[in-house]
Amino acid sequence: MLGQAIAMFAVTNIDDIVLLALFFGRAAGDPALERHIVIGQYAGFAAIIAVSVVGAFGLQFLPDDAIAYLGLVPIALGIRAAVQTWSARGDADDVAAPPALGAGAIAGITFANGGDNIGIYVPVFTAAGVGGMGVYVAVFLVLVAAWLVAGRWLAARPSIARALSRWGHVLLPVVLVSIGVAILVDGGAFGL
């Protein structure tokens, strides 16, 4: 079961590595901003786990049809980041270091990006029972830390850091909007 939990986490959260590298690239070594990233990532993932556990117990806290509309969260945040980038285009300092996202925004992005995770975790948690669910949850929470370390490591690589410094302010809105659109389309929101 441990191997299955690790594999399931890796497969369902591979896109988070890119987001975390972008977030850490924007933080540029600022401990306060890095703390927001860690808190936001854990809060968002804890919400994914909570909804999945509630769903596994059959309470259907979040209807399946509503999960797709979570894609609106990263789209809105991506548009906001694009507007900030566009507004700061004449000031080289602002472009190099755009305003960082707070813990709440990162938690929202993580949760919205995890809509597909919920769809996968609920049936697996249901089949695993209470004891197995506990194993999955514990493994997932440990792996969130590993993902944070990997995202920070990627952002700290000189070539990646240069690319993120040069293009991260452009790439982040594109990635966020793309994730949001993918969530909307995959979930069939708005008849897509």
Side-chain angles (χ1 to χ4, degrees):
M1 180 177 294
L2 181 64
Q4 291 173 330
I6 292 169
M8 185 166 58
F9 181 89
V11 168
T12 58
N13 292 288
I14 196 69
D15 51 344
D16 280 349
I17 293 267
V18 174
L19 283 173
L20 288 170
L22 287 169
F23 294 153
F24 280 114
R26 289 184 79 176
D30 181 331
L33 296 178
E34 289 182 351
R35 192 170 35 257
H36 285 284
I37 295 167
V38 171
I39 292 167
Q41 184 70 16
Y42 263 105
F45 203 81
I48 290 168
I49 289 173
V51 170
S52 298
V53 167
V54 168
F57 284 119
L59 299 178
Q60 299 304 316
F61 177 70
L62 191 62
D64 290 340
D65 294 345
I67 291 173
Y69 293 97
L70 293 174
L72 295 172
V73 173
I75 289 172
L77 292 169
I79 291 169
R80 181 176 147 221
V83 167
Q84 289 175 336
T85 297
W86 181 260
S87 297
R89 70 188 181 284
D91 186 353
D93 291 336
D94 286 344
V95 172
L101 296 170
I106 290 170
I109 291 167
T110 301
F111 184 73
N113 192 35
D116 57 336
N117 297 32
I118 294 168
I120 294 168
Y121 297 168
V122 168
V124 171
F125 286 2
T126 302
V130 174
M133 191 182 323
V135 171
Y136 277 100
V137 169
V139 169
F140 289 178
L141 292 175
V142 169
L143 289 176
V144 168
W147 248 231
L148 285 161
V149 168
R152 189 172 188 277
W153 181 85
L154 284 171
R157 302 291 53 99
S159 60
I160 295 172
R162 278 191 301 277
L164 289 174
S165 174
R166 183 169 181 177
W167 298 105
H169 64 285
V170 173
L171 187 57
L172 181 64
V174 170
V175 169
L176 290 176
V177 170
S178 297
I179 287 171
V181 169
I183 292 168
L184 291 173
V185 170
D186 288 346
F190 304 112
L192 299 173

